[in-house]
Amino acid sequence: MWLQDLSFMVDITKHLSNLNLKLQGKDQIITAINDHIKVFKCKLDLWETQLQNENLTHFLTCMMYKTSYYEPIFYKKYSEQIIWLKTEFGNRFQDFKYLENDFELFTSPFSIDAVKVPAHIQMELIEIQNDSNLKRKFNEVGVPEFYNFLPVRYVETRRFACKIKSMFSSTYLCEQLFSLMNSNKSPVRSRLTDIYLNSVLKVASSNISN
């Protein structure tokens, strides 16, 4: 029983680790993070159904253990763990649910219905959707670069895009800042005061090319 539990833990931990790697890294906007989370939720639905049917296609360690053991082993009970994971993901990322419409507007400005967007953006959105040059540029550069080419007259849409792009999608910047602080505030640099350290961190963290 312990080995059976371990085999399931190995597989599900690997899936979670793969998701975690996708959520890391610099320059990730929050809509991309949301897409990764939605994909994983769909995978959880699939795994729940497959485990209930003893289908171990995506649980290779479980499959190896099941085929190597001399007595019948059933993994159906682990579908309950998948259900628990789905509940946890729903609770931890519930804020994404409330932002779903904003995310759709940001990533699909030319296909979203103007009725679904906030009233102060509707008129600008209709103009954007019927501008062939902007549509061509969107197809060329995609999101989020498209909003860099949006004319300044679309004030509300540009402000909305800035709000979405400024949302912290991961802890990457925080971790990078702590690493920079530790490397600069070392015992051999005791003359570096907090004021200078603050300036160094501002310059380092604002340098996008780093």
Side-chain angles (χ1 to χ4, degrees):
M1 184 64 67
W2 184 86
L3 289 174
Q4 184 180 355
D5 290 343
L6 179 61
S7 65
F8 174 76
M9 183 61 67
V10 168
D11 285 333
I12 197 64
T13 301
K14 182 178 180 180
H15 290 310
L16 289 168
S17 178
N18 290 337
L19 172 64
N20 185 45
L21 290 174
K22 293 177 180 178
L23 300 181
Q24 296 178 12
K26 62 182 299 185
D27 299 333
Q28 287 210 66
I29 57 175
I30 197 166
T31 52
I33 298 296
N34 183 48
D35 289 342
H36 292 315
I37 297 299
K38 289 196 297 183
V39 167
F40 195 79
K41 286 181 178 179
C42 291
K43 290 180 179 179
L44 288 174
D45 290 333
L46 174 65
W47 297 337
E48 178 190 352
T49 302
Q50 289 183 331
L51 285 173
Q52 289 176 346
N53 295 321
E54 293 294 330
N55 183 342
L56 302 177
T57 301
H58 303 289
F59 292 84
L60 300 182
T61 307
C62 295
M63 184 184 297
M64 290 174 59
Y65 181 65
K66 183 174 184 177
T67 56
S68 64
Y69 201 65
Y70 59 89
E71 292 184 3
I73 298 178
F74 302 100
Y75 281 87
K76 182 178 180 178
K77 64 178 182 179
Y78 296 102
S79 62
E80 297 178 1
Q81 301 300 319
I82 300 298
I83 295 174
W84 177 81
L85 267 178
K86 288 167 59 177
T87 302
E88 286 296 308
F89 266 76
N91 292 335
R92 291 176 182 270
F93 297 100
Q94 60 181 332
D95 290 345
F96 282 5
K97 181 179 179 181
Y98 303 123
L99 293 168
E100 195 67 43
N101 202 60
D102 286 347
F103 291 164
E104 183 181 358
L105 171 58
F106 182 77
T107 57
S108 307
F110 289 92
S111 59
I112 190 172
D113 191 338
V115 177
K116 297 173 61 178
V117 308
H120 66 283
I121 300 180
Q122 289 176 340
M123 296 297 99
E124 290 186 2
L125 180 65
I126 292 174
E127 291 185 24
I128 293 171
Q129 289 178 339
N130 289 277
D131 189 319
S132 57
N133 291 327
L134 288 178
K135 189 171 185 178
R136 189 181 305 111
K137 180 58 68 173
F138 180 82
N139 293 332
E140 288 177 2
V141 301
V143 174
E145 286 77 10
F146 165 73
Y147 292 98
N148 296 331
F149 298 92
L150 202 61
V152 293
R153 66 177 180 274
Y154 298 117
V155 178
E156 296 299 335
T157 306
R158 288 169 61 92
R159 184 179 290 119
F160 165 78
C162 288
K163 183 187 76 171
I164 298 297
K165 288 195 290 184
S166 64
M167 291 181 179
F168 283 97
S169 56
S170 73
T171 59
Y172 176 84
L173 289 177
C174 296
E175 294 168 359
Q176 184 187 44
L177 200 63
F178 277 116
S179 297
L180 289 169
M181 183 176 65
N182 288 331
S183 63
N184 282 281
K185 190 71 171 179
S186 62
V188 296
R189 303 183 71 181
S190 57
R191 295 181 64 184
L192 183 65
T193 64
D194 291 341
I195 296 177
Y196 290 117
L197 177 63
N198 185 45
S199 300
V200 169
L201 292 178
K202 282 184 177 180
V203 172
S205 61
S206 63
N207 190 347
I208 301 176
S209 62
N210 273 348

